[in-house]
Amino acid sequence: MNTTDINYSKTGKSRPPPANTVGLIGWVRTNLFSGLLNTCLTFISCYLLWLIIPPLLDWAIFSADFTGNVGRECTTDGACWAWLDQRIEQFLYGFYPAGSYWRVNLAILLLFPALAYVLFENLPFCNYGRWYSLAYPFLAAFLLVGGFGLEGITTDKFGGFMLNLVAGLSGIIFSLPIGILLALGRRSKLPAVRLLSVTFIEFIRGVPLITLLFVAIIILQLFLPPNVSVDQLVRVMIMITLFASAYMAEVIRGGLQAIPNGQYEAAQAMGLGYWQSMRLIILPQALKISIPGIVNTFIGLFKDTTLVIIIGLFDILGQARVLQTNPDWMGKVDHETYLLAAIFFFVICFSISRYSINLEKRLDTNRD
Amino acid sequence: MAEPKTSKSNIDQNVIEITALNKWFGNFHVLQDINLTVSQGEKIIICGPSGSGKSTLIRCINRLEEHQEGKVVVNGTELSHDLKDIDAVRSEVGMVFQSFNLFPHLTALDNCTLALIWVRKTPKADAEALAMEYLERVKIPEQAHKYPGQLSGGQQQRVAIARSLCMNPKIMLFDEPTSALDPEMIKEVLDTMIELAETGMTMLCVTHEMGFAKTIADRVIFMDEGRIVEENEPEKFFANPEHERTKLFLSQILAH
């Protein structure tokens, strides 16, 4: 072969791309006006946004009433936010004693470093941080429930968004490991383990969550000895966790099935045992593939915590209902209270979703 | 080959003894009465048409496949259902696969150190030093911190060879190591294997690279329909195959 042929890349300098394909103009061209259909869709979308956004902002903010002690004092056409002053604490903390709000706040504050050490790499004091994350659930339980010197607060005082967070987070924390074990169990070579996993998964998936919650609250008590009583909130948390675990197991099983047999064989040939090859080789890959499904289950689980309303716990939606039926506010706050609850849920769920996208990018090992 | 073969000096030491081996996949009798003895340092090339059982045979040696009848003794340990025996054999036997089977979520270096750290309990720093040594031997130390997805097929296969060598195996099994590679990359992998052969490693290699077979093999085995049809030194095997089936096979793969 001729050397000049091989070195062709050195003869010409590479040129920058045409100006209208990069930067803001390039972005607008490729994303908004790349063809006749897309241009039409862009204009239709803009028109719809124009129809929705200004009136919404007007209602929610510009024409809204922010002061007043009862619903009658909200006189404008806009939203009535006057209740926020008196009621926001119930929306956030339920019937938790006002003097102990700091305990909830502290628990939430301590949650952030605990999450950070699980979710992000390369933080300072990483080794200790992981232990802290492991200890966090116990720390939070101690702060919220009390004992060991702190004033005891029973869980029937829990309510508002805090109840959603407690039930949702405990579900998220425990459903992943249980789901992994169930998924591995369903693929196990041991018939007993497999049968047990399949039965559990199919039973839990085949029954609505509401039914399980009723079972937890009402029927379970019939089978327990009369002097034994498990805390209501704990029962609810267990049921939500088990329910999510069954779904989680199937999501992870999907990931496990996507791992080529060669990976198992290479691990075996190198002398790794079952648990070692699962932990070091198979699960890291399977969980990575399953991230969208896992996050989907997490978000679903978190929103399912609102179902506790039907067994008499007052989460954030419960508090909304309470206010809506309060004679002082009746008929004035239906949309506003739901909107507030929606915003709370959206912020959390959207953050989870964004984090998962970030995680997928970070774990992508095919990038150059 | 100019290199003195260790097999000639201690020919009595058999590292693999397979006697009357039979294996079925369901009703399909994939291995039929296989007898094979491999002595220390011997290089054996196994060839044959697809479905002839050659991959299954070498996979029986490290128990990736379970055999139903007969005896497989590797390095003095007979393979049975005893997991300890299986672990003992696997720690002496390295394997290189057709599809590389590198772990895509780990860098080349981490692929090499994984088993050292978790199976051999080598300290991380020592494991990395050893892994770098072997990555240098397969001539890709500069790729150590890349992920398999960022390497070419030839580079991946060389990492896979280094990964097996890290465990300091007595026997290396190669299951069509170059069949998934582009022609330009086959050579770099074969060169690596030839260098490995020169160190006196015991090698069993399923391959259709006949030039390579002539260079390193002490024996060439031809398999068809689950049986060893012919077994000979490479000179005789290629010049005067005894069986009609072997002649036909050779004429087909050497035709172009």
Side-chain angles (χ1 to χ4, degrees), chain A residues 180-261:
Chain A
I180 290 173
L181 290 180
L182 285 171
L184 293 178
R186 189 162 189 170
R187 288 166 59 83
S188 168
K189 284 191 188 117
L190 309 169
V193 175
R194 195 167 56 232
L195 185 70
L196 215 64
S197 307
V198 172
T199 314
F200 179 87
I201 292 169
E202 296 303 341
F203 173 73
I204 298 273
R205 279 204 310 174
V207 178
L209 179 55
I210 295 182
T211 315
L212 290 175
L213 290 177
F214 275 131
V215 168
I217 295 300
I218 301 162
I219 303 178
L220 204 61
Q221 199 55 53
L222 301 178
F223 296 101
L224 289 173
N227 54 344
V228 174
S229 85
V230 181
D231 187 277
Q232 266 209 343
L233 182 61
V234 172
R235 290 190 224 168
V236 166
M237 279 161 44
I238 290 175
M239 277 305 172
I240 289 177
T241 305
L242 293 184
F243 187 75
S245 307
Y247 282 87
M248 194 64 75
E250 289 300 279
V251 167
I252 292 168
R253 191 166 67 96
L256 287 172
Q257 277 170 349
I259 307 300
N261 225 356

Side-chain angles (χ1 to χ4, degrees), chain A residues 261-273 276 279-282 284-285 288 364-368, chain B residues 59 62-64 87 90 93 95 97 101-106 111 114-115 118-119 121 147 149-150 163 167:
Chain A
N261 225 356
Q263 294 286 311
Y264 292 90
E265 287 176 355
Q268 275 178 13
M270 290 166 70
L272 292 169
Q276 278 182 334
R279 188 161 67 84
L280 301 167
I281 313 288
I282 306 300
Q285 298 181 56
K288 188 180 106 179
D364 180 13
T365 51
N366 283 321
R367 63 181 180 241
D368 270 313
Chain B
R59 287 158 61 90
N62 66 350
R63 196 69 170 190
L64 286 183
D87 284 343
R90 281 177 182 164
V93 179
M95 184 157 197
F97 300 86
N101 295 348
L102 289 179
F103 306 132
H105 62 301
L106 300 174
N111 263 283
L114 186 88
W118 293 96
V119 179
K121 313 289 181 204
Y147 288 98
Q150 299 163 324
R163 178 175 74 174
M167 294 295 278

Side-chain angles (χ1 to χ4, degrees), chain B residues 207-239:
Chain B
T207 184
H208 294 146
E209 297 293 332
M210 290 304 142
F212 168 73
K214 281 176 197 164
T215 319
I216 73 150
D218 295 310
R219 256 191 295 165
V220 181
I221 290 173
F222 175 70
M223 287 182 71
D224 189 33
E225 294 180 345
R227 289 174 186 281
I228 293 179
V229 175
E230 188 162 351
E231 181 178 349
N232 220 330
E233 289 162 23
E235 297 80 14
K236 288 179 189 159
F237 180 85
F238 290 110

Side-chain angles (χ1 to χ4, degrees), chain B residues 28-201:
Chain B
F28 177 55
H29 199 171
V30 60
L31 293 178
Q32 307 181 19
D33 301 316
I34 303 284
N35 289 295
L36 176 66
T37 306
V38 183
S39 52
Q40 172 106 49
E42 226 183 340
K43 282 91 187 137
I44 293 183
I45 300 291
I46 303 169
C47 59
S50 67
S52 59
K54 49 198 191 313
S55 288
T56 311
L57 173 59
I58 68 164
R59 287 158 61 90
C60 281
I61 295 171
N62 66 350
R63 196 69 170 190
L64 286 183
E65 300 288 355
E66 204 175 298
H67 58 270
Q68 283 110 348
E69 276 176 21
K71 245 170 89 169
V72 179
V73 180
V74 182
N75 222 22
T77 311
E78 186 183 344
L79 281 168
S80 64
H81 288 284
D82 191 336
L83 292 176
K84 260 193 199 145
D85 289 348
I86 296 175
D87 284 343
V89 166
R90 281 177 182 164
S91 71
E92 303 290 350
V93 179
M95 184 157 197
V96 174
F97 300 86
Q98 178 176 358
S99 49
F100 325 137
N101 295 348
L102 289 179
F103 306 132
H105 62 301
L106 300 174
T107 61
L109 185 65
D110 290 341
N111 263 283
C112 294
T113 57
L114 186 88
L116 280 174
I117 292 172
W118 293 96
V119 179
R120 289 279 158 80
K121 313 289 181 204
T122 315
K124 192 163 186 255
D126 297 355
E128 284 184 353
L130 190 64
M132 281 311 293
E133 216 172 275
Y134 281 106
L135 285 173
E136 263 159 46
R137 230 169 92 181
V138 300
K139 302 194 180 64
I140 39 173
E142 71 282 359
Q143 313 286 2
H145 296 286
K146 286 196 180 167
Y147 288 98
Q150 299 163 324
L151 302 177
S152 74
Q155 289 171 329
Q156 287 191 50
Q157 193 60 296
R158 284 186 285 154
V159 172
I161 293 172
R163 178 175 74 174
S164 297
L165 292 178
C166 275
M167 294 295 278
N168 195 20
K170 290 212 172 66
I171 301 160
M172 284 287 285
L173 308 174
F174 293 85
D175 190 359
E176 306 205 29
T178 56
S179 303
L181 294 174
D182 289 342
E184 277 189 316
M185 293 166 184
I186 290 177
K187 187 176 176 303
E188 64 186 53
V189 171
L190 291 182
D191 285 346
T192 309
M193 290 169 65
I194 290 169
E195 275 175 38
L196 180 63
E198 286 165 358
T199 65
M201 176 71 73

